[in-house]
Amino acid sequence: MSTRRRFLATVAGVASAALLTAGVTTAAAGPAHHSTPKPTVVLIHGAFADGSSWNEVSERLQRDGYQVVVPAVPLRSIATDTTYLTGVLAGIPGPKVLVGHSYGGALITQLAGAPGVKSLVYVAAYIPQAGENLGDLTAKYPGSEIGPDTTNTITYAGGADLVMKPESFRQVFAADLPRKQAALLGASQRPVSASVFGETVAKSAPANLPKYAVVATGDKAIPPAGERFMAKRAKATIVEVNASHLVALSQPEKVTNLIERATR
């Protein structure tokens, strides 16, 4: 009987250990919870500008944990710039939110079908449709001060570029920025090929892709009424901000908030 009791106790102990092990194993095999990675935010600058026009927004996005890419746009033509930026996007894995300022809005519209693009954000930007050109969209409503009185033409073999006159840069682009900052931006501006304003846009953005738009109500480059018209036509979520064309520098918090909303 003593041997039998020892045997039964041993069996009971093994069974108990097996149940405990099974319990631990079951718990370990439960569903894993992984946080969804944040999309990369790709910031596309406009004409007469470079990537530094996004500095204030870039800093805030990085602080909030986003990967940010700010490509240098060639500013040669919508077709050429789109081809170049397609190559840039191909090197960025995972989901992407494209953000375009001014002329950059025409570019993200053409890039909207690239793999991984989940939403578009237009910041004081053009939102053209196929068959349109930026010159006609600028002139659709009164208010733009970009023209012969405020620009100089740089001619060279094979083409012509436009550049803002130093004395006109602040009034057209940056009326709500300090004069010293506006002067620096004017001195470092990037010329744009004059042909981009008459170039026919090839594609409209897909209707089912989420779109967001900042309308700068003090804009003197693209008329605010034009920005509003294009944003409503695109069925974008619109935020109006009392700011100049360089709203991303003068009101970066509001622009960043909308971009982060688009990422979600």
Side-chain angles (χ1 to χ4, degrees):
M1 291 297 294
S2 176
T3 302
R4 178 177 174 80
R5 282 197 296 271
R6 284 199 300 273
F7 173 77
L8 291 174
T10 301
V11 171
V14 171
S16 297
L19 286 171
L20 286 172
T21 303
V24 171
T25 303
T26 301
H33 297 285
H34 302 288
S35 59
T36 303
K38 293 181 177 180
T40 299
V41 179
V42 184
L43 302 170
I44 307 298
H45 67 77
F48 312 107
D50 60 21
S52 66
S53 61
W54 286 114
N55 280 356
E56 295 294 327
V57 170
S58 297
E59 180 182 9
R60 285 163 172 78
L61 289 169
Q62 289 176 337
R63 178 196 65 199
D64 292 342
Y66 289 90
Q67 292 291 325
V68 179
V69 176
V70 191
V73 182
L75 302 179
R76 297 299 84 202
S77 73
I78 295 173
T80 298
D81 295 347
T82 299
T83 299
Y84 173 75
L85 292 170
T86 297
V88 173
L89 295 185
I92 303 172
K96 293 170 274 289
V97 170
L98 306 185
V99 186
H101 173 245
S102 192
Y103 166 70
L107 300 180
I108 68 171
T109 299
Q110 303 311 289
L111 295 164
V117 174
K118 65 175 293 182
S119 60
L120 305 175
V121 184
Y122 296 90
V123 179
Y126 294 103
I127 313 177
Q129 292 186 346
E132 297 180 333
N133 67 67
L134 305 188
D136 288 345
L137 287 171
T138 306
K140 186 175 180 67
Y141 294 91
S144 176
E145 295 185 8
I146 296 179
D149 293 338
T150 58
T151 57
N152 289 323
T153 302
I154 302 170
T155 56
Y156 56 93
D161 282 0
L162 294 179
V163 64
M164 295 299 301
K165 293 179 179 179
E167 64 271 22
S168 301
F169 190 90
R170 185 171 185 265
Q171 80 178 59
V172 177
F173 283 100
D176 54 354
L177 290 177
R179 290 187 179 277
K180 287 185 178 180
Q181 184 180 7
L184 286 173
L185 292 166
S188 62
Q189 64 178 294
R190 296 261 314 283
V192 60
S193 175
S195 64
V196 303
F197 294 99
E199 183 179 355
T200 300
V201 172
K203 295 186 291 187
S204 306
N208 61 346
L209 193 65
K211 303 171 189 70
Y212 300 79
V214 174
V215 172
T217 60
D219 201 332
K220 294 182 180 178
I222 304 174
E227 293 175 18
R228 196 175 295 113
F229 160 75
M230 290 183 282
K232 287 182 177 179
R233 182 179 64 173
K235 295 181 170 56
T237 298
I238 300 171
V239 172
E240 298 208 0
V241 180
N242 183 18
S244 69
H245 190 60
L246 292 182
V247 58
L249 284 172
S250 65
Q251 298 283 349
E253 202 69 39
K254 293 180 180 178
V255 174
T256 303
N257 287 343
L258 188 63
I259 293 170
E260 293 191 0
R261 182 176 172 185
T263 69
R264 295 191 288 269

